Amino acid sequence: MAENEEKLTETRHERRKRVFSGVQPSGSLHLGNYLGAIKQFVDLQNDNDCIYCIVDEHAITVPQDPKELRKHILDLAALYMAVGVDPEKSIIFVQSEVPGHAQLGWVLACSSYTGELFRMTQFKAKSGGKESVGTGLLVYPVLMAADILLYDTDIVPVGSDQKQHIELCRDIAIRVNNTIKKTFVVPDGRFMKEGARIMALDDPTQKMSKSNKNIHSSIALLDDANKIKKSIMKSVTDSEGIVRFDPDEKPGVSNLMNIYSVLSGESLDSIEEMYAGKGYGDFKKDLVGVVQKALAPIQERYNEIRYSEELLTTLHDGAEKANSIAERTMKRVYDTFGLGVPAKIVR
Ligand code: ATP
Ligand code: LTN
C-alpha cells in the first residue's frame, strides 16, 4: 500500500464522519434553502464533524456588486448561526479565505472533461438563451467538487437539485484514485426526503429560487410577517378547492402542504383531514401562521448576531481550522500529481 493510501485509510478510521456543505451568499436565503439543505446542517452536527462553507467564489460565477457581496457573506454567516449551526460544534468559514479551494479546483479541472460539464442541467438552465456565458458557470461543479474533496468529506447534505453535481464530484474522485493514485475520499450526497424540493409560490413547476425577480415567488427567512402573509395569500393554487396532496395534478397546493408539513410536523394525511370541507383561504391563513411562527425565533437570533464581533471571530477561527485541513490535503494532491518542489532532491 502506498504511503499516502495508508495515511488516508488511517485518518478515515480514526475520525467521525466528516460532513461538508456550502451555500452561495447570493441573496437572502429562502424556505427552499432552509428546508432543502440548511435544516439538515443543524441535525448533523451532534454526531459528525461538520464544516459549513459560504461559497463566495461560486457566487461570482454570475456578476455581483462587490459591496453587496461582502454584506451577503456576513448575512449568510449570521443566518447559519441563527438557524442553529453552532461554531462550538461546526466549522463555519468563507471559501475564499482558504486558498486550497481554488488550487484544488484547477487540479480537478485538469481531471474532468468539458463534455461532462456541458451536460450539467444547472449549467444548461443558467446559460440557456444567453449570448455570452462566463467560463465560471461551466466550471462551477469542478470548484464544488474541490470544496468537497478538500476536506476528505464523507457526507454532503444538499437539496435534491444538487444530485448531478455530487455524482460528478464522485466521478472525478474515482477517476483520480483509479488512474493515478488513491488520493480522495469518495463522498455520498445526503438529500432531504420530505420537502426536498420547495417550489416557487408563483409558479409551482419551478423551484423556489433566489434568482427569481418576483418577490412573492419565494419566502425569505428574514421576511417580515406582512410579506409572509402577502406571498402565501397570493400563491398559485388551482380551481378544485380541495386541500389534497397530488404534486402532478395540484403542484401549487401540494407545495404549500409540503411547507406546512415540514414546518409544523403534521403529516400530509392529517393536513388533508384538518382541511376537509374547508377552502384554500382557511388553509393559506393557517399556513401564514405556521411560517411566521417558525421564522420568528430565527429572525430574533439573526438580529443579535449579524452586527456582533462574535460573527467576525467565528469566521476567522473557522478559516484557520479549515485551512489546516485543506493544506494537508493539498500536500497529498500535489504529491499525487507530481506538482511543486519535492522534499528532497530527485534524479
Ligand atoms: P438560486 O436559487 O439562485 O439558483 P440556490 O438557492 O439554488 O440559488 P444555493 O444558495 O447554492 O442556490 O443553494 C443552497 C442549498 O439550498 C442547496 O443545497 C440547494 O440544493 C438548496 N436549495 C435551493 N433551492 C431549493 C429549493 N427550492 N428547494 C429545496 N432546496 C433548495
Ligand atoms: N452548488 C451548491 C452550493 C455549493 C455546495 C458546495 C454544496 C458549492 N459548493 C459544496 C455542497 C458542497 C448549491 O447548493 N447550489
Side-chain angles (χ1 to χ4, degrees):
M1 196 190 283
E3 193 193 328
N4 272 333
E5 197 175 330
E6 225 167 76
K7 257 189 224 148
L8 196 66
T9 324
E10 191 186 300
T11 43
R12 266 174 72 67
H13 281 312
E14 277 171 9
R15 60 179 164 75
R16 306 197 296 169
K17 291 259 185 244
R18 174 148 307 139
V19 170
F20 182 97
S21 195
V23 176
Q24 298 190 58
S26 48
S28 52
L29 286 193
H30 51 71
L31 273 181
N33 301 133
Y34 179 51
L35 300 177
I38 296 159
K39 207 160 166 279
Q40 302 189 73
F41 294 6
V42 181
D43 302 338
L44 284 165
Q45 60 184 351
N46 289 327
D47 302 321
N48 303 281
D49 289 339
C50 297
I51 305 181
Y52 297 125
C53 186
I54 294 155
V55 291
D56 55 347
E57 291 169 331
H58 277 101
I60 60 166
T61 53
V62 295
Q64 298 285 341
D65 174 337
K67 279 203 186 116
E68 288 300 307
L69 182 56
R70 280 265 162 93
K71 274 194 225 159
H72 286 154
I73 288 171
L74 297 184
D75 293 347
L76 179 53
L79 258 181
Y80 269 166
M81 290 164 74
V83 298
V85 177
D86 179 354
E88 299 285 323
K89 296 180 184 160
S90 303
I91 297 176
I92 306 175
F93 78 105
V94 180
Q95 188 183 32
S96 61
E97 296 284 320
V98 177
H101 293 256
Q103 290 171 334
L104 184 56
W106 173 253
V107 173
L108 299 184
C110 298
S111 303
S112 56
Y113 300 107
T114 52
E116 52 194 358
L117 301 181
F118 279 117
R119 234 178 285 133
M120 293 289 119
T121 43
Q122 183 175 300
F123 173 72
K124 288 189 202 159
K126 294 205 170 177
S127 61
K130 298 214 175 84
E131 241 175 55
S132 58
V133 175
T135 312
L137 268 188
L138 181 66
V139 294
Y140 178 112
V142 174
L143 181 59
M144 177 164 163
D147 299 340
I148 297 167
L149 300 182
L150 194 55
Y151 298 96
D152 292 338
T153 303
D154 302 292
I155 302 168
V156 188
V158 273
S160 51
D161 62 321
Q162 295 298 308
K163 265 193 184 144
Q164 212 186 15
H165 289 163
I166 302 292
E167 232 7 83
L168 180 76
C169 171
R170 291 170 52 89
D171 288 348
I172 297 175
I174 293 169
R175 186 175 300 147
V176 172
N177 286 351
N178 289 350
T179 58
I180 315 179
K181 192 197 267 180
K182 179 148 176 36
T183 307
F184 297 121
V185 172
V186 180
D188 287 309
R190 161 91 59 107
F191 310 101
M192 193 96 160
K193 271 190 224 82
E194 322 155 87
R197 213 167 142 79
I198 303 296
M199 308 312 284
L201 299 180
D202 61 340
D203 177 1
T205 62
Q206 301 293 318
K207 72 163 198 162
M208 188 176 281
S209 157
K210 283 178 227 160
S211 351
N212 195 310
K213 296 271 177 296
N214 176 4
I215 60 159
H216 294 298
S217 162
S218 63
I219 294 176
L221 296 187
L222 299 179
D223 276 350
D224 62 32
N226 199 26
K227 156 73 175 57
I228 294 172
K229 186 171 169 197
K230 266 205 186 131
S231 299
I232 292 177
M233 296 316 283
K234 271 175 185 283
S235 63
V236 169
T237 49
D238 53 65
S239 54
E240 190 191 41
I242 299 173
V243 178
R244 182 167 64 80
F245 191 74
D246 181 347
D248 290 331
E249 295 299 319
K250 297 165 69 70
V253 173
S254 303
N255 185 42
L256 297 181
M257 288 178 70
N258 206 359
I259 296 172
Y260 193 124
S261 168
V262 194
L263 289 180
S264 69
E266 294 286 350
S267 70
L268 294 168
D269 283 344
S270 80
I271 296 170
E272 280 184 6
E273 268 168 41
M274 280 156 64
Y275 293 96
K278 297 184 186 168
Y280 295 152
D282 286 338
F283 170 61
K284 281 184 172 180
K285 240 184 257 157
D286 289 353
L287 178 61
V288 169
V290 167
V291 174
Q292 288 171 342
K293 193 169 156 218
L295 297 190
I298 294 176
Q299 298 182 355
E300 196 181 312
R301 178 102 180 94
Y302 174 87
N303 290 324
E304 284 165 16
I305 298 166
R306 174 59 176 84
Y307 302 97
S308 70
E309 283 299 317
E310 182 197 350
L311 185 64
L312 297 183
T313 316
T314 299
L315 293 176
H316 286 138
D317 289 354
E320 211 172 289
K321 289 182 195 150
N323 235 321
S324 75
I325 304 171
E327 280 173 2
R328 259 181 284 148
T329 311
M330 283 318 293
K331 278 212 181 94
R332 199 168 73 221
V333 171
Y334 278 15
D335 185 46
T336 291
F337 283 83
L339 293 170
V341 181
K344 49 179 190 279
I345 297 291
V346 286
R347 294 184 188 277

